[in-house]
Amino acid sequence: MDEWKKSGQRLIFEQMQLLETHECDTVVQQMKSIDIDTVKMGFESFLSEEIKEEGEIIPIDTLKLKNLTKQEQDNYLQDGLDSFRNGNAAILVFAGGQGTRLGSNLPKGMYDVGLPSGKSLYQIQIERLLRLQELCGEDVVIPFFVLASLSTIDETNQFLKSNDYFGLEESQVTVFKQGNFPILNEEGQVVLKDRSNIAMAPNGNGGGWIALKDEGILDFMDDKGIEWLCAYPIDNILVKVGDPLFLGASIASNCDIVAKVVPKAYPTERVGVLAIKNGKHTVLEYSEIDEERRVATAENGDLLFSAANMGIFNFSVQFLKKYCNNYLHKMPFHKATKLTEYLDSNMNPISGPLVKLEYFNFDCFEEASSMLAFETVRAEEFSPLKNSDRAEKDNPKSCREHISSLHKKYIIDAGGKITGEGLCEISPLVSYAGENLEQLSGQEIHLPYYLNEL
């Protein structure tokens, strides 16, 4: 415990004097598992943050789906499907978050937004993966990695297992967890959640890179000849899981990382934007982009800084190996405020905003020697679930409406006619992205409508 005392952790030792022996023993065991020097370094990085020169900021190179010919799209699609067929690509979902802002303590992937099918995010996305495997051909099995957290891994495992992995083979699914950091008060002191537990929180989606290495996932991919890892966040209901066209474009780019983006809806939209800052690829937060750059346009009228981050990335496994073996110690810390129930210095239970340390998955961009943005269509691929229906957007209602609008478009594109009002839903097992709906040509579809099978 000397390192804890040297690091200035006074509060927890004072509180331990007020604990029963068995409670104290439990807390001590937790303390031994925490790298308190790293925690101290993270907290102090915010206190000593220097004001840096802005430097040069330029737009990231972007390949736009709307500018590709049909032949180019078909070629990329086939190359992506071939990569999955040959066992050269796997899928990773970042799924460590709980649905706290949705009014639920369950893992967010278990949330049902209220579609006619009643399917959870996990079921929708896994069924898209099953349809992708079907498009690849017989006997194709795509490895599916689920990054959970300490607070979600048990329920995630139980949920997937109790639902027979929604049709996936158990052997192709690997659920593993990111690490945790203790939650701190405004003075950087570790606090107790209760008399036997230190208050902890997941270490951010960037902690997934540490877990990839520590859990042997990188070695597994290397042994299996997996060359690309297709990563996405669990909360996007429209995500094209393992998008083969995107994968084919990524392979052709020969870049370390290719990020899927959507154009900003308007110049002042408060989203992170991919760019190059001082020669390094990065995600610029809204506050980092001045007014001149927000409204700057290219000759064709498109915004120059418009590559809005979706959190969907294709990573070269060779790059991830290099990054995880050489650069994890350089990952910067990020600070968040978390409303937390904890014990004050007198061991009274209270609730208040405390400091949470995090790593971000996109901080690895800085070490990429080459990177490309791939711009797609927002209405077809991006509808995040962040908030309850009390919020104006990114809520269950908007998710329902967006998937319904997209599926109505699929029907119309297939030659069908839509009448009435209500939600429209097509099972991912029927269609991955609008294909396989020829039977609807000439049919009149009356809403509400749910197509579960042909």
Side-chain angles (χ1 to χ4, degrees):
M1 296 292 97
D2 287 346
E3 63 271 21
W4 278 72
K5 293 177 180 178
K6 290 177 182 177
S7 70
Q9 290 297 324
R10 165 190 47 80
L11 177 60
I12 196 164
F13 287 105
E14 293 175 356
Q15 290 179 314
M16 286 167 66
Q17 300 299 316
L18 305 176
L19 299 178
E20 300 292 337
T21 300
H22 70 281
E23 295 170 335
C24 189
D25 290 344
T26 301
V27 171
V28 168
Q29 288 303 310
Q30 294 171 36
M31 292 169 71
K32 289 180 179 178
S33 68
I34 295 170
D35 183 350
I36 196 61
D37 291 333
T38 297
V39 174
K40 180 183 179 183
M41 181 171 62
F43 184 77
E44 291 181 347
S45 69
F46 305 119
L47 302 178
S48 60
E49 204 167 31
E50 298 178 4
I51 299 176
K52 298 179 181 179
E53 294 277 333
E54 182 182 83
E56 181 186 42
I57 299 176
I58 60 175
I60 190 171
D61 291 337
T62 303
L63 177 65
K64 299 186 178 184
L65 178 63
K66 66 181 182 181
N67 294 339
L68 296 177
T69 65
K70 185 178 185 305
Q71 187 61 57
E72 288 173 324
Q73 292 185 39
D74 289 344
N75 289 343
Y76 286 147
L77 175 63
Q78 289 306 315
D79 288 345
L81 291 173
D82 284 342
S83 182
F84 284 123
R85 289 181 185 118
N86 297 329
N88 298 141
I91 294 170
L92 166 68
V93 55
F94 291 99
Q98 293 173 296
T100 308
R101 282 190 282 174
L102 298 165
S104 168
N105 288 323
L106 294 174
K108 194 178 283 188
M110 294 171 59
Y111 196 85
D112 166 16
V113 302
L115 289 170
S117 65
K119 292 176 181 177
S120 65
L121 291 175
Y122 269 127
Q123 183 170 359
I124 291 168
Q125 293 167 14
I126 288 176
E127 288 184 353
R128 284 201 190 113
L129 173 54
L130 288 166
R131 176 62 183 161
L132 173 61
Q133 291 182 165
E134 188 176 342
L135 292 172
C136 289
E138 192 175 350
D139 298 329
V140 173
V141 175
I142 300 170
F144 185 59
F145 302 110
V146 181
L147 178 67
S149 62
L150 184 64
S151 57
T152 64
I153 189 166
D154 289 340
E155 286 176 306
T156 297
N157 272 318
Q158 182 180 3
F159 181 69
L160 294 176
K161 190 169 184 177
S162 65
N163 286 283
D164 295 322
Y165 300 91
F166 297 106
L168 293 177
E169 296 179 13
E170 183 176 358
S171 60
Q172 79 183 97
V173 180
T174 302
V175 182
F176 64 116
K177 69 176 184 291
Q178 65 196 84
N180 292 280
F181 279 135
I183 297 176
L184 311 173
N185 66 15
E186 67 280 357
E187 298 176 350
Q189 297 289 307
V190 173
V191 301
L192 290 178
K193 175 184 177 182
D194 53 44
R195 296 182 65 90
S196 299
N197 292 285
I198 294 172
M200 304 286 287
N203 62 358
N205 53 27
W209 305 141
I210 300 172
L212 271 184
K213 181 179 180 182
D214 291 349
E215 298 291 330
I217 307 296
L218 278 175
D219 290 338
F220 172 86
M221 290 193 291
D222 204 29
D223 291 343
K224 296 294 184 180
I226 295 171
E227 299 171 355
W228 286 90
L229 184 63
C230 309
Y232 73 92
I234 189 67
D235 62 4
N236 182 2
I237 198 167
L238 294 184
V239 64
K240 291 181 178 178
V241 178
D243 181 1
L245 192 156
F246 178 41
L247 176 57
S250 302
I251 295 169
S253 76
N254 203 32
C255 288
D256 288 337
I257 308 169
V258 183
K260 187 176 280 192
V261 301
V262 291
K264 290 176 69 174
Y266 46 90
T268 56
E269 184 181 13
R270 301 185 72 88
V271 292
V273 173
L274 273 75
I276 301 174
K277 183 176 182 179
N278 297 326
K280 299 284 188 180
H281 299 94
T282 189
V283 174
L284 295 176
E285 298 302 327
Y286 178 80
S287 59
E288 295 180 85
I289 307 174
D290 59 30
E291 183 64 22
E292 181 180 350
R293 289 192 178 92
R294 281 181 195 142
V295 300
T297 58
E299 290 183 4
N300 64 0
D302 289 347
L303 291 172
L304 279 176
F305 293 90
S306 183
N309 179 33
M310 300 170 66
I312 300 174
F313 315 115
N314 285 343
F315 294 96
S316 156
V317 172
Q318 287 304 310
F319 166 75
L320 286 178
K321 285 174 59 182
K322 180 180 74 172
Y323 182 76
C324 292
N325 288 326
N326 297 287
Y327 297 106
L328 290 179
H329 67 283
K330 293 178 63 178
M331 281 198 296
F333 295 91
H334 298 268
K335 179 182 178 181
T337 300
K338 181 178 175 65
L339 187 64
T340 307
E341 295 181 356
Y342 65 105
L343 301 181
D344 66 13
S345 57
N346 296 316
M347 305 300 283
N348 297 313
I350 59 173
S351 178
L354 295 180
V355 175
K356 175 184 173 184
L357 300 177
E358 293 181 312
Y359 296 125
F360 288 171
N361 57 14
F362 58 71
D363 284 322
C364 69
F365 293 178
E366 291 193 0
E367 305 303 334
S369 58
S370 56
M371 185 171 174
L372 179 71
F374 181 89
E375 184 187 283
T376 188
V377 181
R378 183 186 293 244
E380 296 181 1
E381 298 198 46
F382 190 50
S383 181
L385 178 63
K386 302 288 187 184
N387 309 304
S388 72
D389 278 327
R390 290 191 297 272
E392 293 183 2
K393 63 176 185 176
D394 300 341
N395 54 38
K397 182 175 183 288
S398 64
C399 287
R400 291 193 301 272
E401 290 176 346
H402 291 158
I403 203 167
S404 179
S405 295
L406 178 60
H407 289 185
K408 283 188 280 188
K409 179 181 182 296
Y410 288 168
I411 292 171
I412 293 169
D413 288 348
K417 180 182 178 182
I418 292 176
T419 62
E421 296 182 358
L423 293 175
C424 178
E425 183 184 2
I426 298 171
S427 169
L429 295 173
V430 172
S431 181
Y432 177 86
E435 83 295 335
N436 196 38
L437 299 176
E438 296 81 5
Q439 293 184 35
L440 300 182
S441 179
Q443 290 193 30
E444 184 174 291
I445 305 298
H446 187 76
L447 300 181
Y449 178 73
Y450 173 47
L451 180 60
N452 188 40
E453 60 182 8
L454 289 173

